[in-house]
Amino acid sequence: MTHALRFTEKDLRRLAGARSFERGLGYLSAVTRLEVGDEAITATVDGTDAYEVELTEDEDSGLTGWCDCPYGREGNFCKHCVAVGLTVLGQAGSVPGQRSAAATRTRLLNGWLESRTREELLALVREQLADDRDLRRRLELRAAAAGEDTGVVRERVLHLLDTRPFARYGYVEYTDAHAYGRQAAEAVTALRALTASGRAPDAVEVAREALRALGRAYGEIDDSDGLIGDLTAELAEAHLEACRAARPDPVETAEWLVRYLLDEVSDATDIDLFDYRDVLGDPGLARARTLVVAAWRADPKGWAEKYLMERLLKTDGDAVDALVEIRAADLDPNGRTHLVIARELEAAGRADEAMEWAERGLRETVAEWGPDSDLVAFVCERHQRAGRPADVVAVRRRLLRARPSLAAYQHLRTAASAAGTWESSERTGALEVLKATARPERDRWYGGSVLVDALLDDNDLQAAWQAATDGYADQRQWLALADRIRDRRPADALAVYLRWIEPLRRQTGDATYERLTELLLSARACHRTLGTQAEFAAYLAALRADQKRKRKLMALLDRHGL
């Protein structure tokens, strides 16, 4: 049934977004080979490359678009789709006639094909095979899969998974990954055809080689849109389907699976050993368990070994102690593994042991950046739930003393305020810790103390000013302090601004000019509060005379009315 267009310019703008829609306007003249079919609209758009675009309309989902440009392959309605959509809207009146003509052509073609003899159809196919190498390879593979020569199937499957024809500089770039994926998908189709034709044992053997081949190739492909990742999952599923149909020796299959899963080439496929439970049966599962345990004991820190061991234990049911043993063999230096163990124990109803492991993680942290923040939160939350706010304060106090930082100070302040001990005792001690961690050093450009940041965070501006005066502040902190006190103590703030303006007068560069302008604006605000605008005008005139050769600076000052 033919019909007029169901989409509007508003739909194109909604699907593409404002930016892509506006960019699409610039490609209207680049649309060529536009064809309005009875089911889809296709066209070529000349951009960085010649991109193929297809628009389809569905009564339920509305308008959808596909383009083989990089942005379009990610599933976006790109500027090329916009250009084609707008071009079609420009000739909307002729669309029903074009669709009717397309439907007529389709009926005529189908009728003509159905009227051909077998010999005529074979001649037509052979004619196409002579001109289309890709079609020839696909049909050769399907013929081999339907025949008796497994060697040909194996050779063609591995050829389809070979990245070398697509790899420039030894790597399959994003723009070539889609073409490689289309070719490799034929390998999956062939394996499934082998299984469907009653040759599942052959499919198992070829699939094993294909899994390894694709696993090795995966690291050489830019798979930003996940296309090849999806393909590897389909290949793994085809292998499992073949195993279920062939019922290979369960022990030998278990041995192959474990070897494969311990090899880094398996990372691409995410095969789960226990998806093969029905294939392996009790004998195969028993052999797999033996091999996994042996592999883990030989290398308890190996990622694959640990993962398989954990899967084995979880599949076997309640095995918390064994899982703890596995993870305890390779503890992260920041306590993250301690937290994983604590959560396992807590989920098993062993809260006291969970807390012991979590607190042990806090004690044993050796990473210089401190314990994992989630581990600290876990311990503090459990103390809080148990009605032990003093213990939360104690944890936060230890962390501040071990690694003083503004965040540690803020966490301690929050915990002690909740416990009612911040102002009475904790704050004084915390500030002493921060004061002891930094040596006073006047007029430094960077490396200010946590002490000044903490006092500013407390809004204790008087104490922050004193700490800065004592040498604990860097330039950033001095200026932040000046901004905070400017309305109440304009003279003190002005002295800070002028002090940091002076070294900038000897420097050049856009960033310097912007910073100098900001400081002058702040100085002007102080003079206005003090009622000394004339003094600022004289200062600014002298500065402009001294800096007049810096044309960019002069233009910037003019722009801000300075």
Side-chain angles (χ1 to χ4, degrees), residues 289-547:
R289 289 187 183 93
T290 299
L291 293 172
V292 169
V293 171
W296 175 74
R297 295 203 180 281
D299 185 9
K301 294 187 177 184
W303 185 91
E305 288 79 2
K306 285 194 299 182
Y307 175 76
L308 280 175
M309 192 68 179
E310 289 171 12
R311 288 288 297 122
L312 177 65
L313 293 170
K314 287 184 176 180
T315 303
D316 283 346
D318 185 16
V320 175
D321 290 324
L323 287 169
V324 169
E325 180 187 359
I326 292 170
R327 295 186 173 116
D330 185 25
L331 296 171
D332 290 331
N334 66 347
R336 185 70 187 177
T337 318
H338 295 79
L339 175 60
V340 173
I341 292 172
R343 285 174 171 164
E344 290 278 1
L345 289 167
E346 187 175 67
R350 295 157 64 175
D352 290 343
E353 294 174 73
M355 199 63 176
E356 288 175 8
W357 265 99
E359 291 184 317
R360 174 182 163 185
L362 295 183
R363 293 193 304 272
E364 295 181 352
T365 296
V366 295
E368 63 181 61
W369 52 84
D372 181 85
S373 59
D374 289 339
L375 173 64
V376 177
F378 181 93
V379 172
C380 291
E381 286 170 9
R382 272 56 182 181
H383 281 315
Q384 198 69 44
R385 288 182 198 171
R388 300 190 296 266
D391 289 341
V392 179
V393 173
V395 169
R396 294 298 185 182
R397 187 191 305 124
R398 287 198 306 271
L399 292 174
L400 176 68
R401 289 175 177 173
R403 295 172 181 83
S405 68
L406 178 60
Y409 179 84
Q410 292 168 330
H411 283 306
L412 175 57
R413 182 179 63 200
T414 299
S417 295
T421 59
W422 178 241
E423 294 295 343
S424 62
S425 59
E426 288 296 335
R427 182 171 187 263
T428 300
L431 291 174
E432 287 299 323
V433 169
L434 299 183
K435 188 174 182 180
T437 61
R439 180 173 57 83
E441 182 181 337
R442 295 184 181 280
D443 295 334
R444 50 185 164 186
W445 289 88
Y446 57 88
S449 69
V450 178
L451 174 65
V452 175
D453 285 336
L455 291 169
L456 286 170
D457 198 60
D458 282 342
N459 203 33
D460 190 346
L461 302 183
Q462 181 61 40
W465 181 267
Q466 185 59 56
T469 302
D470 291 341
Y472 286 95
D474 62 9
Q475 181 194 29
R476 173 189 60 82
Q477 293 169 323
W478 267 115
L479 293 175
L481 183 55
D483 290 343
R484 297 276 288 275
I485 67 171
R486 189 166 69 194
D487 293 337
R488 285 174 289 174
R489 297 167 59 181
D492 287 335
L494 177 60
V496 174
Y497 296 137
L498 294 178
R499 186 198 321 165
W500 296 110
I501 284 173
E502 288 309 305
L504 295 178
R505 297 173 66 159
R506 299 187 293 274
Q507 301 175 28
T508 60
D510 291 350
T512 295
Y513 300 153
E514 290 175 4
R515 190 65 184 128
L516 181 57
T517 301
E518 291 173 4
L519 290 171
L520 286 169
L521 290 169
S522 297
R524 183 175 67 181
C526 292
H527 276 290
R528 285 174 175 172
T529 303
L530 292 166
T532 55
Q533 291 93 323
E535 182 180 333
F536 177 72
Y539 174 84
L540 181 62
L543 184 142
R544 290 184 68 109
D546 179 61
Q547 304 284 302

